[in-house]
């Protein structure tokens, strides 16, 4: 019983005790909200590190931010993770994942690999999937760092196609 008495708000009048209790509850909610917000930001940083890995150091910082944002939007809207890897010489593509859109680029070898999750691959038009996987980056190799424009365009194309699918279903 002494513990409960210590938790009881101190005050000379009942309105003062109610006010102190309300302030205490608001303080608890504020601390909870700040903790939740900090956790959310920490998780965004962790997922951002996994969204883009640039071993060459050639990826423009603005484009890196766009990839992170694209990854966040795809995960939130469609439940699809996005992983972009830029390698120096060798590209170790991961095994197919049911929920990961993978784009691997080796600028020195003019090589780009796009792997779509199986469900996404079946949902999109076969001609678009073939274009994205085989032909899309080809026209961007001619110019210096043109692959960055190709990556940016690929993200736009994928987003637009996924939005069209969503609108057709909804």
């Amino acid at each position: 019983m002494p513990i409960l008495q210590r938790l009881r708000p101190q005050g000379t009048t009942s309105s003062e005790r109610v006010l102190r209790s309300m302030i205490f509850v608001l303080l608890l909610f504020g601390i909870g909200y700040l903790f939740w917000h900090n956790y959310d930001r920490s998780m965004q940083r962790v997922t951002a590190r996994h969204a883009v890995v640039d071993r060459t150091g050639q990826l423009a910082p603005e484009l890196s931010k766009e990839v992170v944002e694209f990854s966040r939007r795809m995960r939130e809207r469609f439940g699809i993770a996005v992983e972009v890897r830029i390698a120096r010489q060798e590209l170790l593509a991961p095994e197919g994942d049911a929920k990961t859109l993978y784009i691997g680029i080796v600028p020195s070898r003019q090589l780009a690999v796009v792997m779509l999750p199986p469900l996404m691959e079946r949902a999109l038009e076969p001609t678009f999937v073939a274009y994205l996987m085989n032909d899309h980056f080809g026209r961007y190799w001619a110019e210096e760092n043109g692959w960055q424009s190709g990556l940016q365009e690929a993200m736009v194309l994928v987003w637009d196609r996924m939005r069209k699918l969503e609108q057709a279903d909804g």
Side-chain angles (χ1 to χ4, degrees):
M1 195 67 139
I3 292 175
L4 291 177
Q5 287 177 345
R6 281 191 229 156
L7 289 177
R8 197 170 139 198
Q10 301 297 314
T12 54
T13 64
S14 62
S15 60
E16 185 180 352
R17 284 193 296 268
V18 168
L19 181 64
R20 286 179 181 239
S21 296
M22 290 175 61
I23 290 172
F24 180 71
V25 168
L26 284 173
L27 183 66
L28 286 178
F29 277 119
I31 290 170
Y33 173 77
L34 291 174
F35 179 78
W36 169 75
H37 187 66
N38 182 51
Y39 176 78
D40 190 44
R41 285 183 35 164
S42 297
M43 286 306 295
Q44 286 177 358
R45 279 195 299 266
V46 167
T47 56
R49 273 188 252 140
H50 293 290
V52 61
V53 177
D54 180 15
R55 301 275 188 229
T56 65
Q58 295 178 11
L59 188 64
E62 310 86 45
L63 185 54
S64 181
K65 288 177 185 173
E66 284 183 39
V67 170
V68 170
E69 179 63 20
F70 174 70
S71 176
R72 184 190 62 77
R73 290 186 334 194
M74 288 290 286
R75 185 179 56 256
E76 288 176 359
R77 188 83 172 224
F78 304 110
I80 296 173
V82 175
E83 187 177 325
V84 175
R85 290 188 191 166
I86 297 115
R88 288 189 181 118
Q89 292 295 325
E90 280 300 312
L91 188 63
L92 300 173
E95 298 212 7
D97 185 348
K99 292 191 172 202
T100 303
L101 165 61
Y102 173 80
I103 301 173
I105 301 171
V106 183
S108 63
R109 294 180 48 208
Q110 296 186 346
L111 174 69
V113 175
V114 178
M115 295 173 64
L116 301 173
L119 188 60
M120 184 177 169
E121 189 172 342
R122 285 191 300 270
L124 295 170
E125 308 95 47
T127 54
F128 172 71
V129 171
Y131 167 75
L132 191 62
M133 292 177 138
N134 303 319
D135 303 326
H136 174 72
F137 283 91
R139 66 187 177 121
Y140 293 99
W141 296 122
E143 58 187 83
E144 182 75 21
N145 285 331
W147 59 270
Q148 293 189 38
S149 299
L151 175 59
Q152 195 170 27
E153 180 68 21
M155 292 187 303
V156 169
L157 288 172
V158 168
W159 180 257
D160 289 345
R161 297 298 169 111
M162 292 299 289
R163 293 278 296 146
K164 284 181 185 174
L165 281 176
E166 182 182 52
Q167 290 170 353
D169 287 342

